[in-house]
Amino acid sequence: MSSTADKLIDDYLKRLNRELAGFPRARRRELVDEISEHIAEARADLESENEAAIRTLLDRLGDPEDIAAEARERFGARSKGSGWDVVALIMLLVGGVILPVIGWIIGVVLLWVSETWTTREKLVGSRPGASRCSSTQSATRRVMRCGRRGSTTRSRVRRSSFREPRRAHGLHGSCHAHCRRRSAVSHRPEERPVAHRRSTIS
Amino acid sequence: MVAQQDALLAQMRRGTLQYCVLSLLANEERYGFDLVRGLAEMDGMVTSEGTIYPLLSRLRRDGLVESTWQESPAGPPRRYYRLTDSGRAALEGFRLEWRRFRDAVDHFVERTET
């Protein structure tokens, strides 16, 4: 029996981990750890351990998708930080033009203190000239969109956008064209993402 | 109408749940599982137990609760949560507001009950 139980629990935690992809690694690990602690406690609390009891235990815990949705809701609608995220992006994109070198450095620092991006995205974003890279642009779209929507739609938007960096890899060619166009209108930062979004979606 | 009411209930639960968590921690430290079962005892407060953990994580990041590891009488160590001073202040503030709000709603809703 115990191997069936272990497998059910293992599958559940793996699914949860997958659903939380896109959160900073520390936060994801914290949530998965706490939920596996919960499972261990609940399991020890069972009168008799059988497959039905384990399934009931996991049902009570809820669908991993719902837990991830809750996490996005609780952390997605951040009040502090998101304004700085926009500043970080602007500095990374055009900071070097406004304040040579220093502007870009400010952008990199803000990028690394933010919790919006994954470590991989931060590494990509820190490369000089990264603003021409498609990953940075998808991250830009993500933050700009989050800032433009209400909190109810925000979680949905974040959810779909978490997967963007991977998808964006095939866009290099067209993105360079966008990039040149974007730098021409860079004095209107709030209008850029909309135009960019429409052109990539259509 | 039913769907609307469900959505409203979900919103109310979402808005007040964190204060229920803070209240449960007002007098004693609790570990995650104990806290979750404490909430689940009240009908209608928690639909799926796992969704409490993102909330706890958020409360900790906001500095309203803090957690420490403590040995358990049986099994591995447990992560215990307790209120911080700002958590206590937030709970106090909410209590006052909640009473006012509840009384105001009662004033209208109860009076017109048929």
Side-chain angles (χ1 to χ4, degrees), chain A residues 30 34 38 41 61 70, chain B residues 14 49-50 53 57 78 81:
Chain A
E30 178 186 276
E34 287 200 88
H38 178 107
E41 294 280 353
L61 208 45
E70 178 73 17
Chain B
R14 153 168 296 280
E49 297 179 342
Y53 290 97
S57 175
R78 288 166 172 163
Y81 290 90

Side-chain angles (χ1 to χ4, degrees), chain A residues 7-25:
Chain A
K7 183 163 185 334
L8 283 172
I9 291 167
D10 197 47
D11 285 350
Y12 182 91
L13 291 173
K14 274 190 190 139
R15 261 188 70 205
L16 179 65
N17 204 29
R18 267 201 309 274
E19 292 288 342
L20 291 171
F23 279 93
R25 190 182 301 168

Side-chain angles (χ1 to χ4, degrees), chain A residues 111-112 119-128 130-131 133 135-136:
Chain A
L111 174 72
W112 281 89
T119 309
R120 186 181 154 273
E121 286 171 337
K122 286 176 179 178
L123 283 169
V124 170
S126 306
R127 285 204 319 250
S131 61
C133 166
S135 305
T136 317

